[in-house]
Structures are given as structure tokens and as C-alpha cells.
Amino acid sequence: MFAEYNFTAAERFMRYVQIDTQSNPLSDTQPSSEKQKDLSSILVEELKAMGITDAEMDEWGYVYATLPSNTDKDVPVLCFCAHMDTAPDASGTGVA
């Protein structure tokens, strides 16, 4: 989807917020709209392009990946967790 992956953090953020991840409050499914998986798919693609071989998205749109440690020290495992959908009144469409 993206030919070049060398984006700054600000450029990545601006691309991500333009993706319509609007939830559906009337839905009884998880996620509440299939379009919510669009951002998840992009994140998996970008993680793999960075060399993270086990990046994957599950059926609910959760993204999982592991990054090997770069130290021999005994350090704890970290988890980064983020909410990726937007409220029904803020789709992300038209963000510039």
C-alpha cells in the first residue's frame, strides 16, 4: 500500500488520523464496524516493513507484535496498548 516507510512520527500520525475508524454505537459486533480494521491493517503492514516478522491482526482488529530486546540485561517486558477507533461523531474523514 505504501511504497516508502521512512515517515516521521508527525507524518505517520497525520496519516493515521485521516483513516475513518468511526465506531457504530448501534452495532452488537466486535469491532462495531469493519472499517475500524483499516488502521490495524496499515499498522501490521508497517510493522512488517520495519522487520517485525510476527506482526498480525486478529479477527477483532487487535494488532500483536513483538520486538526483541536489544540488551542482555534482565529487563521487564513492555506492552504498548492503544485504542484505535473514533467516536461516532468524529470519523477522521476530511482531516488534513
Side-chain angles (χ1 to χ4, degrees), residues 69-92:
S69 177
N70 63 354
T71 182
D72 292 330
K73 297 177 184 176
D74 185 20
V75 295
V77 173
L78 299 175
C79 171
F80 293 98
C81 184
H83 203 255
M84 294 188 292
D85 69 327
T86 54
D89 54 347
S91 70

Side-chain angles (χ1 to χ4, degrees), residues 28-70:
D28 61 355
T29 63
Q30 300 289 330
S32 65
S33 66
E34 281 299 305
K35 64 185 174 182
Q36 290 175 266
K37 294 179 182 177
D38 294 345
L39 177 55
S40 297
S41 295
I42 290 170
L43 294 174
V44 167
E45 183 179 323
E46 289 186 1
L47 288 165
K48 287 183 176 181
M50 292 176 195
I52 299 177
T53 59
D54 67 347
E56 64 179 280
M57 176 180 72
D58 71 11
E59 64 187 286
W60 297 284
Y62 291 101
V63 175
Y64 299 93
T66 56
L67 181 63
S69 177
N70 63 354

